[in-house]
Amino acid sequence: MANLVAIVGRPNVGKSTLFNRLTQSRQAIVSAEAGTTRDRQYGKCDWNGREFSVVDTGGWVVNSDDIFEEEIRKQVLIATEEADLVLFLVDITNGVTDLDMDVAKILRRSKLPVILVANKTDDNAQRYYAADFYSLGLGDPYCISAISGGGTGDLLDVVVEKLPQKSGEMLEEGIPRFAVVGRPNVGKSSIINAFIGEDRNIVTEIAGTTRDSIYTRYDKFGFDFYLVDTAGIRRKNKVTEDLEFYSVMRSIRAIENSDVCILMLDATRGIEAQDMNIFQIIQNNNKSLVVVVNKWDLVEEKSQKVIDTFTDAIRRRMAPFTDFPIIFASALTKQRIFKVLETAKEVYLNRKLRIGTTKLNEIMLPLIEAYPPPSIKGKYIKIKYCSQLPNTQIPSFVFYANLPQYIKEPYKRFLENKIRENWTLTGSPINIFIRQK
């Protein structure tokens, strides 16, 4: 299970640059204007075989009149609440500011491991200024330059060393894990209560530390799985407001620990930006998906036309991944609750599908013959053979070609669609690899 590392600090110290450096992406927008990052960025970092998640918070300004900065401050409080380790970024060119002191005071109170990072150390002469930061009472400052990458390797060594080892929960192997995720007030708690019902004696709860997900074993009506709960069972002592950010942090946890994600949408509100954030995290983690449109009992007109319009809107927003089930349900009236569990189980089995190499070639090669990859620079690309890779988390297929570097994303999507047309992989993501034959 992945750990969670939060990057915090006042505006304009280079948090987004460091986030992009650690996740090897250009996800976060980098700009000289303070307070550019208002949203949270989420990504993965892999160092020496240890993988962890990174969250880039907005700039943190204490006692500020600016409403955005007040929001950002709350986000960082939540980050310290939910993360396993905090990277506190300061700017070596500015030295210690009052804001840094305020931030340090809050971080010292939290029981988390904190690493003090002096950013913008672009030459060795500047390292002498790092001594100022001992006054923050957070131990040795690590000098880095996020923009050039200087010192980030040493920093990552320390991060990996300080990250708490995850206690292996005593979960039985081979039992699917279903996570119920969604933004606040969409009905996550209600649907979990509806699943569990009154027969709580069949339910056991396995909790790791306070920050780990809580697993509820569900073993009745022919089902046997763990529910990974995000519906606020765990402590929530400092967080009173910014619920949206809180739900994203919690969702990251639950999604990483699950096989199938049940994404809840609100029928009365449609699909919103927050839902898309959570969907993005599900995709980044290669998890299977079931979409449940909850509160269907509150919709006045329930004609097929309304259902079709709703379904189209959801698939359009989540494209190019559109092969997932959508269920219209109500946790309150328990309408189609059983169907949700049945579908989640089917989607989990689709994830485990194995296709024989002979059968795969028999069906795919004629299709490739009929629609070969477009030729590039006068070179014809030939795919001669394909197979499914063994022992992968999600169905992964490898196609052997003479010029793999010329096969682009649209053609990979064509191959994926043809696989989906011929085999049932609904709800499960697929990996397509092109290799040199």
Side-chain angles (χ1 to χ4, degrees):
M1 183 187 129
N3 292 95
L4 194 56
V5 172
I7 303 173
V8 307
R10 58 188 173 76
N12 232 12
V13 289
K15 293 184 297 299
S16 297
T17 313
L18 180 61
F19 171 85
N20 288 347
R21 170 76 49 194
L22 296 184
T23 57
Q24 297 182 337
S25 69
R26 289 162 125 175
Q27 237 175 297
I29 304 163
V30 177
S31 144
E33 189 183 326
T36 304
T37 308
R38 297 257 162 84
D39 269 347
R40 284 69 51 189
Q41 300 287 345
Y42 159 79
K44 292 256 176 178
C45 177
D46 194 327
W47 186 252
N48 288 346
R50 184 89 185 264
E51 192 181 56
F52 54 90
S53 303
V54 185
V55 178
D56 165 26
T57 59
W60 185 355
V61 176
V62 185
N63 303 332
S64 159
D65 301 334
D66 184 313
I67 188 70
F68 270 122
E69 294 178 341
E70 174 59 28
E71 281 301 309
I72 289 163
R73 189 173 71 86
K74 281 186 297 196
Q75 289 173 15
V76 181
L77 275 170
I78 295 163
T80 56
E81 182 77 1
E82 283 296 304
D84 294 304
L85 181 142
V86 172
L87 293 179
F88 172 30
L89 228 61
V90 289
D91 182 341
I92 204 158
T93 57
N94 288 352
V96 179
T97 67
D98 293 351
L99 289 175
D100 292 332
M101 295 300 258
D102 290 343
V103 171
K105 198 183 293 173
I106 298 175
L107 289 176
R108 284 198 304 269
R109 280 193 210 120
S110 80
K111 300 284 179 281
L112 281 183
V114 176
I115 298 176
L116 181 60
V117 183
N119 190 25
K120 307 190 186 178
T121 315
D122 297 321
D123 62 55
N124 277 333
Q126 288 175 301
R127 287 176 173 271
Y128 299 113
Y129 302 127
D132 292 354
F133 295 112
Y134 281 104
S135 62
L136 297 174
L138 291 168
D140 297 335
Y142 288 86
C143 294
I144 68 156
S145 168
I147 203 152
S148 68
T152 49
D154 295 343
L155 174 65
L156 281 167
D157 287 340
V158 180
V159 168
V160 167
E161 193 185 305
K162 286 199 174 192
L163 273 177
Q165 286 293 337
K166 285 293 174 183
S167 54
E169 289 96 350
M170 299 305 291
L171 297 180
E172 278 184 45
E173 283 302 309
I175 295 179
R177 300 177 188 185
F178 299 161
V180 178
V181 294
R183 56 184 161 71
N185 304 329
V186 75
K188 296 189 293 292
S189 301
S190 313
I191 205 163
I192 286 168
N193 292 342
F195 287 157
I196 294 168
E198 281 66 51
D199 307 316
R200 287 203 70 112
N201 56 337
I202 311 176
V203 171
T204 57
E205 287 192 350
I206 300 172
T209 66
T210 37
R211 292 196 178 80
D212 286 347
S213 297
I214 285 194
Y215 297 88
T216 307
R217 178 80 177 263
Y218 183 103
D219 183 5
K220 55 184 176 181
F221 307 129
F223 290 110
D224 188 6
F225 60 85
Y226 286 109
L227 265 177
V228 187
D229 195 358
T230 60
I233 292 178
R234 284 158 297 153
R235 70 197 181 114
K236 199 173 179 178
N237 52 8
K238 292 196 201 79
V239 183
T240 49
E241 291 146 71
D242 199 350
L243 268 174
E244 292 223 333
F245 180 44
Y246 196 74
S247 77
V248 168
M249 294 284 281
R250 282 279 154 100
S251 298
I252 291 171
R253 284 260 177 253
I255 289 164
E256 287 177 343
N257 296 333
S258 68
D259 298 305
V260 178
C261 295
I262 298 169
L263 174 60
M264 307 274 290
L265 304 180
D266 186 332
T268 59
R269 292 173 64 170
I271 184 163
E272 297 182 345
Q274 179 71 3
D275 302 318
M276 290 306 295
N277 280 346
I278 294 172
F279 169 69
Q280 228 56 64
I281 296 168
I282 295 171
Q283 275 216 305
N284 290 353
N285 282 283
N286 280 333
K287 301 300 180 185
S288 300
L289 174 68
V290 175
V291 172
V292 176
V293 181
N294 190 29
K295 306 189 185 178
W296 193 238
D297 52 316
L298 301 179
V299 176
E300 283 166 22
E301 192 193 336
K302 297 184 178 67
S303 65
Q304 191 57 43
K305 190 179 171 192
V306 172
I307 290 177
D308 291 346
T309 309
F310 222 115
T311 304
D312 289 348
I314 293 170
R315 292 202 197 284
R316 253 203 327 277
R317 287 291 297 275
M318 296 186 178
F321 180 43
T322 55
D323 186 16
F324 53 83
I326 298 174
I327 300 162
F328 293 84
S330 165
L332 199 65
T333 64
K334 294 191 168 54
Q335 178 187 10
R336 295 195 195 88
I337 289 297
F338 202 69
K339 177 97 172 113
V340 173
L341 293 183
E342 279 179 336
T343 309
K345 188 177 174 183
E346 282 165 22
V347 163
Y348 175 74
L349 293 174
N350 293 347
R351 191 182 174 85
K352 301 278 175 222
L353 182 74
R354 294 282 313 144
I355 303 168
T357 305
T358 315
K359 190 76 185 153
L360 189 66
N361 282 279
E362 219 172 79
I363 288 177
M364 291 304 290
L365 292 184
L367 291 169
I368 293 166
E369 194 89 9
Y371 296 98
S375 60
I376 290 185
K377 301 177 186 168
K379 293 185 169 73
Y380 290 98
I381 302 159
K382 293 184 181 67
I383 295 176
K384 290 286 188 203
Y385 174 75
C386 56
S387 69
Q388 184 177 357
L389 294 171
N391 309 324
T392 51
Q393 242 192 342
I394 58 170
S396 302
F397 301 90
V398 60
F399 290 81
Y400 293 94
N402 58 343
L403 298 162
Q405 67 275 27
Y406 292 142
I407 296 181
K408 300 285 181 262
E409 213 48 55
Y411 196 77
K412 286 187 186 176
R413 271 210 289 281
F414 162 77
L415 294 173
E416 179 180 331
N417 291 339
K418 289 301 166 196
I419 291 171
R420 288 186 186 279
E421 277 171 29
N422 287 283
W423 290 278
T424 309
L425 285 160
T426 306
S428 175
I430 293 179
N431 278 333
I432 301 280
F433 300 107
I434 313 288
R435 299 258 167 86
Q436 186 78 41
K437 73 172 170 41

